[in-house]
């Protein structure tokens, strides 16, 4: 699997995992771990955004893209 550089890559990876589960080529336990990790990534982005908001700054979050 290629590196996840931004939210679009993360979304594609999650969708591919769902397709793989449906086709039977991915175990549901693995899919659950992928989902868990993705959720944690999203939470860190939210935390970065909230921190910037509290400091009245414009967040610069590479993961969110341009």
């Amino acid at each position: 699997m290629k590196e996840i550089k931004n939210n679009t890559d993360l979304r594609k990876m999650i969708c591919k995992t769902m397709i793989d589960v449906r086709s039977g080529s991915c175990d549901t336990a693995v899919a659950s771990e992928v989902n868990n990790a993705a959720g944690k990534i999203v939470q860190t982005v939210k935390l970065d955004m909230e921190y910037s908001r509290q400091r009245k700054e414009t967040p610069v979050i590479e993961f969110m893209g341009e």
Side-chain angles (χ1 to χ4, degrees):
M1 181 174 289
K2 74 176 199 162
E3 184 178 348
I4 299 168
K5 296 181 181 178
N6 54 46
N7 61 342
T8 301
D9 291 346
L10 180 63
R11 198 174 303 119
K12 287 178 182 177
M13 188 253 330
I14 293 168
C15 290
K16 181 178 180 332
T17 301
M18 290 172 54
I19 291 166
D20 290 348
V21 167
R22 286 183 182 168
S23 73
S25 64
C26 179
D27 182 52
T28 56
V30 172
S32 179
E33 290 303 317
V34 167
N35 183 53
N36 184 34
K40 288 179 180 176
I41 291 168
V42 170
Q43 287 300 318
T44 64
V45 171
K46 285 181 174 181
L47 182 61
D48 287 344
M49 293 173 69
E50 179 62 21
Y51 179 75
S52 293
R53 187 185 70 76
Q54 292 288 327
R55 294 178 50 92
K56 298 183 181 1
E57 299 173 345
T58 301
V60 178
I61 303 169
E62 291 181 31
F63 188 77
M64 296 301 292
E66 298 292 324

